[in-house]
Amino acid sequence: MNPKTFVALALADTFLAREASLDAMLQGARWALGKKWRWIPSLCRAIHKQTGEQLHSHGRTELAALILAHEGFADAWLDSEPPQVRHFCLDPPVAAEPPAWLSALALPVLATAADLAQWLKVTPSELDWFADQWRNSQATTTALQHYHHRWIAKRSGGLRLIEIPKPHLRTMQTQVLRGLLDRIPLHQAAHGFRRGHSCVTHAALHAGKRVVIRMDLKDFFPSIPAARVHALFIKLGYPPKVAGLLSRLCTYRTPGNVLNQPGQKIPWQERQALRTRHLPQGSPCSPALANLCAYRLDMRLQALATALDARYSRYADDLVFSGESGLERAMDRFHVQVAAIALEEGFAVNARKTRMMRSGVRQQVTGIVVNRHPNIPRQEFDKLKAALTNCIRHGPASQNREGRDNYRQFLAGRVSYAQMVNPQRGKRLHRLFEQISWPGS
């Protein structure tokens, strides 16, 4: 760190620890530098003019940048005797007055790392440990890692890494989810991982439309870095230290040997995302954090859709737009606009999965046909109906070709899903299910 930045940060610490008045800033700057430099009044006036009563809502580095940009401060370093820090301010920053919308959320008050540790029911040392404060390298996995790793095959080909937190960390992440993240309202377009919403509500929004456009975000969870999660917690009013601990508790950097296992071909871009701290797919916090981090994306895509009198919704990484003639006329360039907005918001569209479906073809959203009303695909319905019929005629064992231990629950789940999508057709399947004679019942 160069001396100029060092002094600017020291002044920022001093300003943030005092009240947001011009006199307090003048006194603080003179105290920190131990001298009444002639440029101090103009610096303080400039900072006060730019920040006003919102001084304490600015971060330390943000305030230091304003100081570095001041002409008088820059000129001071041309003298033979540049400014030096004589007194360091060790007092914590004054907490900024939260805006009305933030106060209404009634989030837990966590002013210090000790408060966070107490809220999570761990000691400060345990908090540092689970936040990986002492771990600089994750080249290999050890018994001391906080996650299990599992590779599963994607339906579209390739592999997906599931990173599952171990029980103690999972308990802490669940506390963050239930006690903090669940209190924050999401954008109305978000339907995934949200109470009262599902893939059915996501699909039903687009039923009976002339045009349906479906797009997919590439590597949704890994593409959200820890810096973005940290910025979210800062926005929620938490001090940088607390926000840093929360973001580290909720993000993870995949060990190198997990990514380099023989026979696993991972695209370079995905590999790089996993190597840096990211939202792990498998953590209870990740879905809620992903939805919150995608708020601006949802807001901008909603505005784009509204401009064309169209509808927009998102289910995790699945973006869907639907509309009538206005959207149809813009189809050729619409997907390019969506991709550009996604890129500006830190996401990338998987162009290979983009589908533009007019009413003359089967319009499918998250596996649900939406041409006229939400419905399961005909082939899937016929297959399930045949399985239920054969269970009645020949017994459940004849259809349990995969040897499932819980075949009854498996079939019941599929029937319940069909009822959720299309209640009328689902009732027919349910009546068949009720006629099955199960062993031991």
Side-chain angles (χ1 to χ4, degrees):
M1 183 185 299
N2 62 60
K4 187 186 295 187
T5 303
F6 181 78
V7 172
L9 287 170
L11 286 173
D13 289 336
T14 304
F15 291 158
L16 291 172
R18 295 168 180 258
E19 63 181 52
S21 68
L22 182 58
D23 288 342
M25 294 175 70
L26 284 168
Q27 293 174 9
R30 289 166 178 166
W31 171 81
L33 300 180
K35 186 176 179 180
K36 295 182 179 180
W37 294 88
R38 64 179 182 275
W39 48 265
I40 286 180
S42 65
L43 170 68
C44 293
R45 283 194 296 270
I47 298 298
H48 188 262
K49 183 178 180 180
Q50 293 179 71
T51 61
E53 296 299 321
Q54 303 301 317
L55 171 68
H56 300 109
S57 64
H58 291 70
R60 179 177 182 247
T61 54
E62 186 181 4
L63 201 57
L66 295 178
I67 295 171
L68 288 168
H70 184 259
E71 185 178 355
F73 181 79
D75 290 344
W77 293 88
L78 301 176
D79 295 341
S80 57
E81 186 184 350
Q84 292 184 358
V85 180
R86 303 297 183 183
H87 302 95
F88 291 94
C89 181
L90 302 180
D91 296 331
V94 175
E97 188 69 25
W101 66 267
L102 187 55
S103 299
L105 298 179
L107 299 179
V109 178
L110 306 170
T112 65
D115 292 338
L116 177 60
Q118 184 178 14
W119 184 66
L120 293 173
K121 297 180 175 61
V122 295
T123 66
S125 296
E126 287 175 328
L127 176 60
D128 284 343
W129 169 250
F130 283 106
D132 279 341
Q133 291 287 83
W134 302 327
R135 199 192 311 267
N136 295 322
S137 174
Q138 291 201 332
T140 60
T141 53
T142 69
L144 299 179
Q145 294 287 347
H146 304 314
Y147 285 81
H148 297 292
H149 307 89
R150 182 184 303 163
W151 292 96
I152 62 173
K154 297 180 182 179
R155 286 187 299 177
S156 58
L159 296 171
R160 175 180 286 112
L161 177 60
I162 305 299
E163 297 166 312
I164 307 164
K166 293 180 180 178
H168 202 156
L169 177 60
R170 187 177 186 86
T171 299
M172 297 168 68
Q173 291 177 344
T174 302
Q175 168 72 350
V176 174
L177 173 66
R178 302 301 180 207
L180 197 160
L181 299 176
D182 277 352
R183 301 185 182 190
I184 306 168
L186 302 175
H187 193 278
Q188 61 181 4
H191 285 250
F193 319 113
R194 185 178 184 182
R195 190 176 289 110
H197 295 70
S198 66
C199 60
V200 178
T201 62
H202 170 60
L205 192 67
H206 307 284
K209 296 298 180 181
R210 187 169 179 172
V211 175
V212 176
I213 300 176
R214 190 177 76 235
M215 305 180 73
D216 183 83
L217 296 176
K218 188 184 297 183
D219 304 327
F220 185 52
F221 288 106
S223 67
I224 300 176
R228 193 163 189 169
V229 178
H230 181 268
L232 172 66
F233 285 120
I234 290 288
K235 186 70 175 177
L236 294 174
Y238 291 109
K241 174 67 174 177
V242 174
L245 288 168
L246 283 168
S247 66
R248 292 180 72 88
L249 282 174
C250 299
T251 58
Y252 181 58
R253 184 170 63 245
T254 309
N257 67 331
V258 174
L259 301 175
N260 297 325
Q261 291 180 7
Q264 292 176 351
K265 297 180 180 180
I266 310 168
W268 180 86
Q269 196 170 12
E270 182 180 354
R271 183 185 296 268
Q272 292 302 107
L274 291 170
R275 278 177 173 167
T276 57
R277 294 197 74 89
H278 59 275
L279 286 182
Q281 189 165 354
S283 163
C285 283
S286 292
L289 285 169
N291 275 337
L292 291 169
C293 289
Y295 191 95
R296 270 178 54 91
L297 173 71
D298 291 334
M299 187 170 61
R300 294 184 64 184
L301 293 181
Q302 180 70 69
L304 178 64
T306 302
L308 296 171
D309 197 24
R311 292 180 174 181
Y312 160 69
S313 66
R314 178 179 58 81
Y315 188 86
D317 57 357
D318 189 65
L319 313 177
V320 180
F321 305 85
S322 64
E324 304 299 333
S325 57
L327 181 60
E328 187 175 30
R329 286 194 298 269
M331 279 180 70
D332 291 341
R333 64 181 185 278
F334 183 80
H335 66 286
V336 178
Q337 293 174 296
V338 172
I341 290 174
L343 196 61
E344 290 173 1
E345 294 301 325
F347 299 95
V349 168
N350 189 344
R352 292 184 302 173
K353 293 187 176 182
T354 297
R355 299 289 182 271
M356 301 184 186
M357 302 165 284
R358 289 184 169 87
S359 56
V361 301
R362 185 167 73 176
Q363 298 170 329
Q364 197 163 335
V365 175
T366 56
I368 299 172
V369 178
V370 295
N371 287 70
R372 287 185 294 178
H373 53 77
N375 206 350
I376 60 175
R378 181 73 193 186
Q379 184 179 6
E380 186 177 329
F381 174 81
D382 290 343
K383 186 177 179 180
L384 179 55
K385 181 182 176 183
L388 293 170
T389 303
N390 287 331
C391 283
I392 296 171
R393 293 175 179 174
H394 309 294
S398 67
Q399 301 303 302
N400 188 13
R401 298 182 179 90
E402 297 178 0
R404 298 177 185 272
D405 294 332
N406 55 347
Y407 187 61
R408 182 173 185 172
Q409 289 81 359
F410 170 74
L411 270 185
R414 293 186 62 188
V415 171
S416 296
Y417 173 73
Q419 281 187 290
M420 183 172 65
V421 175
N422 187 329
Q424 186 175 358
R425 299 184 78 180
K427 284 181 181 178
R428 292 163 57 188
L429 296 175
H430 184 72
R431 283 196 293 267
L432 290 174
F433 180 80
E434 291 294 314
Q435 297 176 42
I436 300 174
S437 297
W438 297 96
S441 61

